Amino acid sequence: MCGIMGYSGARPPLPILLSGLERLEYRGYDSSGVAFFDDSDEIHVIRTTGKISALKDRVGKEEGHPGSAIGHIRWATHGAATVQNAHPHQSGPIVLVHNGIVENEQALKEELRREGVRFDSDTDTEVLAHLVSSAYRAGSDFPSSVQAALSRVEGSYALAIISRDHPSDLVVVRQGAPLLIGVGEGEAFAASDIPAFLHFTRQVYSMKNGEIAFIRHGSVKVGKLLDPPSEWKTPEFSTVSWDPFFAEKGTYRHFMEKEIFEGSRAVMDTFSGRIVGDRALPELLEALGERPGSITMVACGTSWHAALLGRLFIEAATGIPVSVEIASEFRYRPILSSREGWIVGISQSGETADTLGAIEAARKTGYKTLGITNVPGSTMERESGACLLTHAGPEIGVASTKAFQAQVAILLLMSLALSPGHVSMERIESLLRVPVRLESFLESMVSERFDPVIDRIRQSTLVLFAGRGLDYPLSLEGALKFKEITYRPADGYPSGELKHGPIALVEPGVTIVAPMIDSSLRTKEVSNLREIRARGGYVIALGPDIEESQRGVWYDDKVDLPHESASTGIFQAAAVLQYLAYRVAVMLGNDVDQPRNLAKSVTVE
Ligand code: AGP
């Protein structure tokens, strides 16, 4: 969590940093700050609580002197969201910003206190500033003092550091938290994520864990934390294809709304070039060898829901047993070794600490590792044995929407790739039609046709989402989306489970949203919904072929989906569930793109 940014170049740095931090704001928004030089080469630090807009107000017309500068947005872990705990943190000539956690903070703090250091904040980051400063004052040069300090630190960090004595220089380090360097004409940028500097350059180097870089204007030297600076080298930059437009709201009111409507493009781009003749994802088996004996999927949140759908696709198409695990639980259980097994981690950001930890734990017991992520250059892409990229483009809204659609798309492709026999052209063609069908459905979704159900949902005391088969993961996802941006009570269940407990919650005022894509289980689902209605619950059915004559019999209201293949229906139903949550949250006046207490990538356990 948290986002960091650094700049070194000939332009006034503050407009660049503020625009970059704004694009990183999805990573946290408890507080923010910048450090920069003035015309007399003095460092200034400006910090504030709240969002970047508050920082912009504090910065005013100040643009900073050309040279180096750093900035930060915070998702609080150590200490409350106060100005004192906001980054940058300064100790003497050293000023730094940090994303990560110092695990031996207490021991280091006690030691520094014994040496007479006074701490001004409750953060673990301040320890780092004092350590670098004390190494620097003891006579090390700037980059070497960072190396000396970090040799004492346990934990994860991405750091951007400036020194009062070197107004053009920037030192950045990556150990367990993402950090990318972008290089332009006579200038360079470092940031937690690419959109922060995508407007300035597409030439990107994704730092590896344990790497440190020394940046002065357009010159970038990278080395290992243990190597002397004289051995550091200019890295190879690659061109990212992401369009800066993705990171703009355009005519939409919120990123989330824009991203819901980008769902069809996300699916289209994820499919593109992935089917050759009757084979999907040929690179998959080339990278990992034979079909696996079993698959274990690990993920968190929305990505876990995509994995639950993936299990259904893969088991049905391939006969390979698939288990789906919540990463934070799986990684701390005894993992039974499986030499023929694949561990498949799914993560939009590719940086979720628990998912990465779960993959690593399984790798150690002999699993082959496959990552599915949306972020090129992420830790997941770099550290998995093989990686499949989804191509949703940058997702800025904290609530995941188009990235979920892209994950579902790639899992459908994976089910084809692992099919033992020949995949029929009919199946392939039907899949390739999905993005176009989704696109035309999304075009129809902007109408007022949802208003009555949205109004009903908004007035409900509790909203339950329930379904069977394919509709169960969709229900979980509908409930998560609803909770995270409306802050209203909601939950998702397999419909067959309702009468084992949750049905006790049902009374007038409670609404049940029931996705009904899985036609094979419709009769059973209808019985469950009748049970709900019999107890005063209000049922909103979402699916194709819901007969008007049944209104008032087993449902109260409905959202019609076109009669399509189940594969298309999943994407359409997901879009509706996202949109319902979005519309209710907007009506409630909530901050849809940056819901309270959340951050986009959860890089701490
Ligand atoms: C989704 O709306 C959530 N914000 C969250 O559950 C998210 O899916 C989860 O944190 C996993 O993130 P990842 O896909 O980047 O690993």
Side-chain angles (χ1 to χ4, degrees):
M1 349 269 272
C2 298
I4 69 170
M5 185 162 183
Y7 174 77
S8 173
R11 287 197 268 175
L14 288 186
I16 294 170
L17 282 187
L18 290 173
S19 82
L21 290 175
E22 211 160 29
R23 292 185 173 86
L24 290 179
E25 205 171 20
Y26 67 85
R27 300 179 69 88
Y29 26 82
D30 289 334
S31 62
S32 57
V34 284
F36 57 96
F37 288 89
D38 67 13
D39 296 351
S40 325
D41 285 344
E42 282 302 320
I43 291 186
H44 290 259
V45 175
I46 299 179
R47 304 185 294 179
T48 183
T49 53
K51 299 191 167 199
I52 294 298
S53 51
L55 182 65
K56 278 183 161 170
D57 289 346
R58 288 284 321 281
V59 167
K61 292 199 166 45
E62 179 64 72
E63 295 200 319
H65 190 65
S68 58
I70 52 177
H72 187 268
I73 44 112
R74 177 166 187 250
W75 189 84
T77 54
H78 288 53
T82 60
V83 173
Q84 260 171 338
N85 290 334
H87 301 214
H89 288 281
Q90 178 162 17
S91 172
I94 298 297
V95 188
L96 57 78
V97 289
H98 168 219
N99 170 28
I101 285 186
V102 178
E103 281 164 8
N104 56 341
E105 172 204 2
Q106 285 313 328
L108 292 170
K109 259 190 178 163
E110 275 161 32
E111 189 186 313
L112 286 162
R113 275 198 187 106
R114 281 198 295 275
E115 290 167 14
V117 171
R118 244 198 55 234
F119 285 87
D120 294 326
S121 75
D122 305 321
T123 66
D124 50 345
T125 303
E126 199 185 339
V127 171
L128 300 174
H130 291 304
L131 284 178
V132 179
S133 183
S134 106
Y136 185 67
R137 277 191 282 223
S140 298
D141 63 34
F142 176 29
S144 307
S145 60
V146 175
Q147 290 179 296
L150 293 180
S151 66
R152 320 223 18 237
V153 173
E154 289 160 25
S156 64
Y157 42 82
L159 293 166
I161 311 167
I162 56 175
S163 149
R164 189 174 55 207
D165 304 329
H166 306 90
S168 288
D169 299 352
L170 173 69
V171 173
V172 297
V173 191
R174 175 191 171 135
Q175 177 62 57
L179 197 60
L180 300 112
I181 300 175
V183 71
E185 276 299 305
E187 61 185 0
F189 314 80
S192 306
D193 202 354
I194 296 172
F197 53 70
L198 202 53
H199 276 71
F200 307 111
T201 182
R202 289 187 185 200
Q203 297 302 304
V204 177
Y205 174 69
S206 169
M207 291 183 76
K208 301 185 182 64
N209 277 334
E211 280 188 339
I212 179 167
F214 179 76
I215 301 172
R216 180 178 291 162
H217 291 205
S219 155
V220 179
K221 301 278 184 214
V222 176
K224 298 231 169 67
L225 261 171
L226 295 175
D227 292 344
S230 56
E231 290 179 13
W232 301 359
K233 297 199 169 57
T234 306
E236 249 179 60
F237 289 89
S238 43
T239 309
V240 291
S241 56
W242 280 4
D243 187 337
F245 163 78
F246 273 132
E248 301 295 339
K249 269 187 245 174
T251 52
Y252 290 94
R253 205 167 142 196
H254 299 100
F255 279 111
M256 182 179 176
E257 185 186 21
K258 174 170 174 264
E259 289 162 1
I260 292 170
F261 288 95
E262 282 172 354
S264 51
R265 175 153 177 199
V267 176
M268 171 105 62
D269 290 351
T270 299
F271 279 173
S272 176
R274 260 41 198 276
I275 298 180
V276 184
D278 65 352
R279 291 187 66 204
L281 302 173
E283 72 271 29
L284 184 61
L285 291 178
E286 276 160 30
L288 293 180
E290 291 172 10
R291 292 166 78 238
S294 66
I295 292 176
T296 304
M297 294 193 186
V298 286
C300 304
T302 286
S303 299
W304 181 67
H305 299 153
L308 290 172
L309 283 168
R311 168 169 66 189
L312 299 176
F313 308 151
I314 294 172
E315 286 189 339
T318 71
I320 298 169
V322 180
S323 57
V324 178
E325 302 275 356
I326 289 181
S328 55
E329 291 295 317
F330 175 78
R331 65 184 293 194
Y332 294 115
R333 283 213 318 263
I335 299 173
L336 304 178
S337 132
S338 164
R339 299 237 160 248
E340 297 79 40
W342 288 5
I343 183 94
V344 179
I346 306 180
S347 170
Q348 186 285 130
S349 61
E351 301 293 348
T352 298
D354 281 318
T355 309
L356 295 174
I359 298 175
E360 180 54 18
R363 189 191 62 74
K364 284 188 183 147
T365 70
Y367 282 82
K368 288 186 179 170
T369 62
L370 171 67
I372 295 180
T373 180
N374 192 43
V375 179
S378 60
T379 306
M380 181 173 277
E381 191 202 11
R382 284 205 325 268
E383 295 184 0
S384 305
C387 187
L388 295 173
L389 285 175
T390 52
H391 294 301
E395 190 177 67
I396 309 294
V398 165
S400 187
T401 51
K402 63 176 179 174
F404 172 78
Q405 303 282 38
Q407 289 168 339
V408 174
I410 201 107
L411 289 164
L412 277 169
L413 292 181
M414 213 172 131
S415 71
L416 297 193
L418 298 178
S419 293
H422 170 79
V423 180
S424 72
M425 275 327 276
E426 201 188 342
R427 172 82 187 114
I428 288 176
E429 278 162 16
S430 138
L431 210 56
L432 290 175
R433 279 195 293 273
V434 167
V436 180
R437 297 285 159 86
L438 178 60
E439 171 100 43
S440 58
F441 177 72
L442 288 173
E443 277 162 16
S444 75
M445 207 172 71
V446 285
S447 71
E448 285 73 45
R449 59 190 257 233
F450 296 113
D451 284 354
V453 287
I454 285 168
D455 212 43
R456 169 73 209 191
I457 290 170
R458 191 167 66 97
Q459 288 169 30
S460 305
T461 50
L462 168 70
V463 184
L464 299 176
F465 295 75
R468 286 170 170 263
L470 295 167
D471 296 305
Y472 165 49
L474 283 170
S475 299
L476 291 177
E477 178 56 8
L480 176 65
K481 219 83 308 175
F482 192 79
K483 278 182 267 201
E484 70 178 328
I485 59 172
T486 69
Y487 317 147
R488 292 287 181 95
D491 233 327
Y493 289 101
S495 299
E497 274 294 294
L498 289 171
K499 58 168 105 42
H500 297 284
I503 202 166
L505 296 167
V506 175
E507 60 182 351
V510 173
T511 293
I512 281 74
V513 178
M516 302 180 75
I517 307 304
D518 206 326
S519 55
S520 64
L521 294 166
R522 183 164 284 195
T523 319
K524 295 195 185 306
E525 174 72 5
V526 165
S527 305
N528 296 141
L529 296 177
R530 282 176 185 271
E531 291 156 8
I532 297 291
R533 288 194 80 250
R535 285 152 182 89
Y538 188 92
V539 171
I540 299 173
L542 159 62
D545 310 320
I546 298 170
E547 287 171 28
E548 187 54 41
S549 61
Q550 297 299 297
R551 191 184 289 267
V553 180
W554 58 264
Y555 73 88
D556 297 282
D557 211 338
K558 62 175 175 159
V559 175
D560 285 315
L561 297 183
H563 179 90
E564 308 266 8
S565 65
S567 308
T568 305
I570 294 166
F571 294 99
Q572 292 170 336
V576 170
L577 293 168
Q578 294 166 355
Y579 193 55
L580 291 180
Y582 169 78
R583 290 280 307 274
V584 174
V586 170
M587 275 185 188
L588 293 171
N590 294 351
D591 189 340
V592 176
D593 283 335
Q594 293 164 350
R596 70 185 183 199
N597 305 340
L598 296 177
K600 182 81 181 157
S601 14
V602 183
T603 54
V604 292
E605 285 188 49

